[in-house]
Amino acid sequence: MRKLKRADKQAAIALPIILVASVFFGNDAHAHHGDTSVPSTYPLPTHYVEVEECIRMRESNSHWHSRNPSRNHLGAYQMTQSLANGATYWMLKRGDLARYLGTGNRSLQRDLAKRLRSTSVHKWDPWLQTAAFRRSMDGHHKNKPWSGLHHWAGGRWHCGR
């Protein structure tokens, strides 16, 4: 039997570990990309359109169901779940959920907001992700647009007004 070199021994140990890890972590280690051909039909204010497109492209290449390997940043805008959850309160207050559901029934709107908070943002409909983006950009104050832009500071290229 031939004697194994040190590199061969290391490979013999590491390869099975990598293979086992790929079974358990393979899908989560890469972004899960949804259909980019499905546009959001959310009525985004004109002053946000250019920046929204830039941020969506920069953060996820416009993949609605994208998630980064750490699973901390999700969806087309790579929001944290806590940011998206906070936006649901403002989506409810500002009438976004009423428009989405097509009803003024507050109970149904509150139920949807609660379901959204228990669902990962990368699984939300594109309309709802864009609504959360808009409410976050407003900084939760309808008279202070752009105050939430800091949530998307940095990145591969600058997206700003």
Side-chain angles (χ1 to χ4, degrees):
M1 188 165 148
R2 92 181 171 124
K3 191 171 183 175
L4 294 175
K5 295 179 183 176
R6 183 177 178 166
D8 292 334
K9 289 179 185 176
Q10 289 172 337
I13 294 169
L15 189 56
I17 293 170
I18 292 168
L19 291 174
V20 169
S22 70
V23 169
F24 291 103
F25 302 111
N27 291 336
D28 292 335
H30 301 287
H32 169 70
H33 299 299
D35 186 0
T36 60
S37 65
V38 177
S40 173
T41 56
Y42 180 84
L44 197 65
T46 308
H47 62 274
Y48 284 147
V49 171
E50 189 175 324
V51 171
E52 180 271 339
E53 289 173 355
C54 178
I55 289 172
R56 188 168 26 90
M57 281 299 297
R58 181 186 75 193
E59 297 296 335
S60 69
N61 291 324
S62 291
H63 294 293
W64 295 105
H65 303 293
S66 185
R67 57 185 178 190
N68 74 353
S70 71
R71 300 178 113 191
N72 291 331
H73 296 90
L74 306 159
Y77 306 103
Q78 292 294 283
M79 304 174 102
T80 62
Q81 191 64 45
S82 61
L83 178 62
N85 288 351
T88 63
Y89 293 96
W90 294 99
M91 292 161 63
L92 178 63
K93 186 174 182 175
R94 302 283 185 239
D96 293 325
L97 299 182
R99 282 191 295 281
Y100 182 77
L101 292 171
T103 180
N105 184 321
R106 295 291 284 177
S107 179
L108 290 176
Q109 295 169 34
R110 284 190 296 275
D111 287 346
L112 175 57
K114 187 176 180 179
R115 281 195 317 263
L116 290 173
R117 287 183 216 112
S118 65
T119 304
S120 182
V121 69
H122 78 284
K123 295 179 181 178
W124 293 9
D125 182 85
W127 196 99
L128 294 165
Q129 286 189 44
T130 306
F133 170 80
R134 188 267 171 99
R135 294 306 166 197
S136 297
M137 284 294 286
D138 284 349
H140 313 305
H141 193 291
K142 66 182 178 181
N143 296 323
K144 292 187 180 180
W146 302 104
S147 60
L149 184 60
H150 68 276
H151 291 296
W152 291 276
R156 292 181 286 174
W157 62 79
H158 177 71
C159 296
R161 53 187 186 142

